[in-house]
């Protein structure tokens, strides 16, 4: 339990940041799921559109500190390869 004023404030800030980051992570996962569903359905146009929408969201997560840069790049790369492989 936080005792000093500084540690109490830090605990409050941590709770707020956790909530914001949780929402941001959830939003990014939703975009990724839309790409996955489009790939699973075999619709290349929909998959490309979903990937174009998901890519800036992932990179925004990087700038906001939710994901590591390499993690986001890896996800985008793998999704792009799967979209490209669609007939």
């Amino acid at each position: 339990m936080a005792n000093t004023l500084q540690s109490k404030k830090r605990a409050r800030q941590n709770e707020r940041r956790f909530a914001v980051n949780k929402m941001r992570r959830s939003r990014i996962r939703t975009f990724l799921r839309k790409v996955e569903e489009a790939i699973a359905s075999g619709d290349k146009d929909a998959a490309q559109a979903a990937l174009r929408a998901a890519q800036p969201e992932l990179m925004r997560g990087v700038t906001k500190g939710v994901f590591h840069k390499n993690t986001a790049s890896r996800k985008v790369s793998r999704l792009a390869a799967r979209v490209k492989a669609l007939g």
Side-chain angles (χ1 to χ4, degrees):
M1 181 63 205
N3 291 320
T4 64
L5 283 176
Q6 180 181 359
S7 61
K8 288 177 183 177
K9 179 178 179 180
R10 179 55 70 185
R12 289 193 306 271
Q13 289 174 331
N14 286 341
E15 286 178 25
R16 280 198 298 270
R17 294 312 312 162
F18 175 74
V20 169
N21 288 339
K22 186 176 177 183
M23 286 187 293
R24 193 167 280 130
R25 218 176 3 256
S26 174
R27 179 177 163 87
I28 292 169
R29 285 190 190 126
T30 301
F31 275 90
L32 294 179
R33 189 173 60 249
K34 288 178 183 175
V35 178
E36 292 284 349
E37 289 171 357
I39 290 172
S41 70
D43 188 358
K44 187 168 187 172
D45 292 333
Q48 286 176 332
L51 181 61
R52 276 196 301 272
Q55 198 165 353
E57 285 295 325
L58 256 170
M59 293 308 162
R60 194 169 299 120
V62 170
T63 60
K64 301 296 183 180
V66 178
F67 287 115
H68 191 272
K69 180 174 63 172
N70 292 353
T71 303
S73 294
R74 183 180 67 241
K75 286 180 184 292
V76 168
S77 176
R78 288 179 180 174
L79 285 173
R82 288 174 59 197
V83 169
K84 186 178 177 183
L86 286 176

